[in-house]
Amino acid sequence: GSVAASHRKRHSIERALPYVREDRVLLEGQLHRQLLWLKDSWTWMFETRVLPDLPRNDMRPSALDVGCGPGHVMKLLDQFFDLTGVDIDAEMVGSAKGRGSNVIQAVAIELPFEDGSFDVVYCSFLMLWLNDPARAIAEMKRVARHWVVCLAEPDYGGRIDHPSELTILTNCLSLDIKGLGGDPNVGRKLRSFFSSNGMEAEIGVYQGVWDLKMLHNQSKEEWASIERAAQRYLDASVLSKGKAVWEEAIKAGDLFQYNPIFYALGRKT
């Protein structure tokens, strides 16, 4: 972990992933759950906002996924674009390639492409891990011809949990992100990243929450991510009480969770 961390620091950027096999499995699961919730919104956004605005020609539009991770979003969007992906993490690059995606290892602040190489440049759940998000947006703008899009960035400062006894546990998710070098409240800052690069972005937050069926189906994996973070900050008795509250809330149909996820659409002029 320390060698990889120092390498990331030298680039003044990180996708601050814990280098533990169990954490990677949890991360893949978390990315998959996020996709389950947001995929329809992302598809709608591209179909209604981005694609109609692109120049009409016989070529399929091109797009770059910055911080593509294991390639889940690329697989969703390859219906629209000729896609290329970049990620700082070699294992993520390998995972994405294993899914048949065109991915190379690179950092977001030094994208290895010429100016205006892609019609659209986008990212998802990336800005929270960067030391200098505005610089990454500058690079995304440089290699984009038309659109720069942040599909999803969380803001844990606006999180709501019910029953309220769960808040002490879910606060550990925010602490964990901070501990890994990330910014858990990055969502509210998206406008400033674009404004500092001379772009007026449309900022929004996704509507809706998981229904009870989805909460029940995903509860085991969701609890695992909460528990893994909470173990680092809380003693076993607090965690045990929290788990009992969680399980009872699932059983009774009382569980409610909402974590604001922001997006930003920036059109190059």
Side-chain angles (χ1 to χ4, degrees):
S2 60
V3 174
S6 64
H7 174 74
R8 290 166 190 274
K9 287 293 185 183
R10 284 200 302 274
H11 287 289
S12 299
I13 184 174
E14 65 224 23
R15 193 178 182 86
L17 305 176
Y19 285 83
V20 178
R21 177 59 50 190
E22 297 158 79
D23 286 333
R24 284 193 178 278
V25 172
L26 284 174
L27 176 73
E28 289 254 6
Q30 184 179 23
L31 291 171
H32 181 65
R33 291 197 303 279
Q34 289 163 346
L35 186 63
L36 283 176
W37 179 43
L38 294 171
K39 63 180 182 178
D40 291 338
S41 296
W42 290 347
T43 299
W44 177 86
M45 186 184 297
F46 279 106
E47 286 181 330
T48 63
R49 300 297 311 281
V50 176
L51 289 168
D53 181 69
L54 296 178
R56 301 283 184 178
N57 54 48
D58 295 332
M59 301 275 291
R60 259 166 67 88
S62 60
L64 175 67
D65 186 326
V66 181
C68 64
H72 293 312
V73 181
M74 294 181 72
K75 279 300 178 187
L76 173 69
L77 298 181
D78 66 6
Q79 60 185 304
F80 303 130
F81 300 105
D82 285 332
L83 280 161
T84 302
V86 298
D87 200 279
I88 193 174
D89 187 85
E91 284 196 41
M92 288 292 181
V93 170
S95 181
K97 284 183 173 179
R99 291 181 167 87
S101 297
N102 176 29
V103 178
I104 62 173
Q105 189 173 7
V107 296
I109 58 169
E110 297 172 7
L111 295 172
F113 306 105
E114 298 294 325
D115 295 0
S117 293
F118 303 92
D119 292 306
V120 178
V121 180
Y122 71 87
C123 65
S124 58
F125 298 101
L126 174 69
M127 294 292 138
L128 77 159
W129 296 122
L130 304 185
N131 286 344
D132 193 349
R135 186 174 171 191
I137 293 294
E139 267 294 89
M140 293 169 70
K141 178 184 177 183
R142 180 184 66 79
V143 303
R145 282 192 288 273
H146 303 292
W147 284 91
V148 176
V149 180
C150 290
L151 283 174
E153 296 294 341
D155 197 311
Y156 283 82
R159 184 178 175 110
I160 300 169
D161 288 278
H162 180 79
S164 59
E165 294 93 328
L166 295 173
T167 301
I168 190 174
L169 302 179
T170 57
N171 283 346
C172 294
L173 295 170
S174 181
L175 292 172
D176 219 29
I177 291 169
K178 287 182 180 178
L180 291 167
D183 180 356
N185 300 329
V186 75
R188 68 190 68 180
K189 303 172 186 176
L190 288 181
R191 173 169 285 144
S192 68
F193 303 152
F194 280 78
S195 295
S196 65
N197 283 291
M199 298 184 76
E200 184 176 340
E202 175 189 333
I203 309 296
V205 63
Y206 293 103
Q207 303 299 310
V209 296
W210 279 357
D211 59 26
L212 283 172
K213 182 179 179 182
M214 179 69 83
L215 274 171
H216 191 269
N217 290 342
Q218 300 297 322
S219 62
K220 182 178 179 181
E221 291 80 5
E222 187 71 13
W223 173 257
S225 65
I226 294 170
E227 183 178 48
R228 190 149 187 85
Q231 283 173 340
R232 297 177 174 127
Y233 303 98
L234 302 175
D235 64 46
S237 63
V238 175
L239 189 55
S240 178
K241 290 176 184 176
K243 186 173 185 178
V245 172
W246 173 276
E247 290 176 346
E248 179 58 32
I250 287 283
K251 183 179 177 181
D254 293 338
L255 186 65
F256 180 87
Q257 293 179 295
Y258 177 67
N259 199 111
I261 305 291
F262 286 82
Y263 64 84
L265 290 163
R267 179 72 164 86
K268 284 187 74 172
T269 55

